[in-house]
């Protein structure tokens, strides 16, 4: 099945259900297809949305780290999307492709990449800039040297992984937190600690997990290839978790911490 055949019905359903944030990345290899579908949507009056109504994000591949490579990569991504600007562009990973985790070039390259994003921000090609998968150590190093404090930090965040040191830094510097893997790659959907709350709420597990993040004022970017699931996730704004339920979810990671995605902690 072609990427377009998978993405088109999902994206169209998302727009109809009120989704307005589109999250992509060079490594997803879907920027050109997304751009094609989005332009079809913009030209279809039945959707009632234009470019200005959407918040479109893409991210830098680890193989494009460094000032010149990053600057070129952003412009290449814009061409693939068929856009004049991104609402947000992130450095996807603090390391550089094909370099050892402890190689100092990682630090040098990601700083160069961020400098390129600052230039692109000044040029209006990206309206917000940020980072993804940075540890507190990586973020502190960046904050000490950057001209523009990151607008957004996107990292793995769910009841089994609450990285409080990163949360504290983001709060201190007013960096918007964006949670990914809110469902723990699907593994949290059968987590007994969470299912106890789901039974009380009479909402499904995905909705409860997304709602927990939203009530913490974190942005969520749930992924699905199923249009019905996209519609179900959109109902997350129709209910609220109690203080007791929030506290229950907040304490789960203290008993058993689990990371389901990439671990950047060993990158220099």
């Amino acid at each position: 099945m072609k990427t377009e055949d998978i993405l088109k019905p999902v994206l169209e359903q998302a727009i109809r259900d009120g989704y307005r944030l589109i999250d992509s990345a060079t490594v997803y290899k879907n920027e050109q297809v997304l751009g094609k579908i989005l332009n079809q949507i913009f030209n279809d009056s039945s959707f009632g949305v234009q470019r200005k109504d959407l918040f479109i994000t893409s991210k830098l591949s680890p193989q494009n780290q460094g000032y010149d490579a990053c600057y070129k990569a952003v412009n290449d991504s814009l061409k693939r999307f068929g856009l004049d600007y991104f609402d947000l562009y992130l450095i996807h990973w603090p390391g550089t492709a094909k370099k050892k985790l402890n190689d100092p070039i990682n630090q040098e390259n990601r700083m160069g990449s961020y400098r390129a994003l600052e230039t692109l921000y000044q040029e209006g090609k990206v309206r917000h800039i940020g980072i993804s998968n940075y540890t507190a150590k990586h973020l502190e190093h960046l904050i000490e040297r950057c001209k523009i404090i990151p607008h957004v930090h996107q990292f793995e965040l769910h009841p089994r992984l609450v990285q409080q040191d990163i949360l504290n830094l983001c709060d201190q510097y007013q960096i918007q937190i964006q949670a990914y893997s809110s469902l723990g790659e699907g593994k949290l959907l059968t987590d007994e600690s969470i299912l106890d709350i789901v039974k009380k709420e009479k909402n499904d597990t995905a909705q409860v997990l997304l709602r927990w993040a939203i009530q913490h004022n974190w942005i969520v970017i749930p992924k699905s290839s199923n249009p019905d699931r996209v519609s179900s996730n959109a109902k997350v704004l129709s209910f609220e978790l109690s203080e007791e339920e929030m506290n229950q979810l907040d304490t789960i990671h203290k008993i058993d911490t689990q990371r389901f995605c990439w671990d950047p902690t060993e990158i220099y």
Side-chain angles (χ1 to χ4, degrees):
M1 198 171 187
K2 291 181 180 179
T3 302
E4 184 175 351
D5 295 333
I6 297 170
L7 284 178
K8 188 176 173 64
V10 174
L11 188 53
E12 289 181 345
Q13 187 63 52
I15 297 297
R16 293 193 190 283
D17 284 330
Y19 288 75
R20 293 296 180 265
L21 188 156
I22 308 296
D23 181 86
S24 185
T26 299
V27 298
Y28 300 164
K29 299 186 185 301
N30 64 10
E31 292 174 314
Q32 190 164 352
V33 174
L34 274 175
K36 178 182 177 182
I37 298 169
L38 285 171
N39 277 291
Q40 290 172 351
I41 289 172
F42 297 151
N43 291 320
D44 186 339
S45 60
S46 68
F47 287 97
V49 295
Q50 296 300 315
R51 168 68 186 95
K52 62 182 177 60
D53 302 316
L54 298 186
F55 192 93
I56 300 174
T57 302
S58 198
K59 300 184 280 292
L60 183 75
S61 168
Q63 69 181 9
N64 294 324
Q65 288 277 28
Y67 187 96
D68 291 339
C70 175
Y71 189 89
K72 181 179 184 301
V74 175
N75 281 288
D76 288 346
S77 285
L78 285 170
K79 288 176 185 175
R80 285 192 290 271
F81 261 102
L83 299 174
D84 295 323
Y85 67 91
F86 284 119
D87 296 279
L88 173 65
Y89 198 91
L90 307 174
I91 297 173
H92 204 163
W93 184 249
T96 301
K98 299 180 180 179
K99 298 296 180 183
K100 291 182 178 180
L101 299 181
N102 62 355
D103 192 330
I105 198 68
N106 290 307
Q107 188 178 84
E108 180 183 334
N109 280 349
R110 66 174 174 267
M111 199 64 233
S113 297
Y114 198 81
R115 296 279 186 226
L117 294 189
E118 290 178 324
T119 300
L120 289 156
Y121 174 80
Q122 297 293 347
E123 293 174 351
K125 291 183 178 178
V126 292
R127 297 194 170 177
H128 301 84
I129 58 177
I131 39 92
S132 180
N133 292 301
Y134 276 40
T135 64
K137 177 188 70 175
H138 299 143
L139 183 53
E140 285 173 336
H141 180 267
L142 173 61
I143 289 170
E144 288 170 2
R145 291 160 177 79
C146 66
K147 296 177 183 175
I148 301 169
I149 295 293
H151 300 118
V152 173
H153 186 6
Q154 182 188 110
F155 56 97
E156 183 178 353
L157 180 57
H158 47 70
R160 287 282 178 203
L161 185 67
V162 177
Q163 303 178 77
Q164 195 60 53
D165 54 350
I166 302 177
L167 296 177
N168 292 343
L169 270 175
C170 289
D171 286 343
Q172 180 182 349
Y173 290 96
Q174 297 183 306
I175 300 169
Q176 176 62 55
I177 294 161
Q178 191 173 69
Y180 80 73
S181 194
S182 295
L183 313 183
E185 300 288 281
K187 295 178 180 68
L188 294 181
L189 298 179
T190 55
D191 190 305
E192 289 297 330
S193 301
I194 296 164
L195 289 175
D196 288 342
I197 298 169
V198 173
K199 290 170 188 173
K200 294 178 195 174
E201 274 297 321
K202 297 182 180 177
N203 290 289
D204 72 28
T205 316
Q207 291 170 345
V208 168
L209 289 164
L210 295 171
R211 184 67 208 183
W212 170 77
I214 287 171
Q215 283 183 221
H216 275 298
N217 296 316
W218 304 329
I219 295 171
V220 292
I221 46 173
K223 173 187 173 184
S224 179
S225 58
N226 185 322
D228 291 336
R229 170 49 60 188
V230 166
S231 292
S232 178
N233 288 343
K235 295 175 183 176
V236 70
L237 301 178
S238 66
F239 71 99
E240 193 168 306
L241 296 172
S242 68
E243 184 177 352
E244 180 185 355
E245 290 165 339
M246 288 293 291
N247 288 336
Q248 279 183 264
L249 290 167
D250 285 344
T251 58
I252 288 174
H253 76 281
K254 297 176 182 178
I255 300 166
D256 180 20
T257 294
Q258 286 181 279
R259 183 189 294 273
F260 299 105
C261 299
W262 313 283
D263 186 351
T265 54
E266 297 302 316
I267 295 175
Y268 183 87

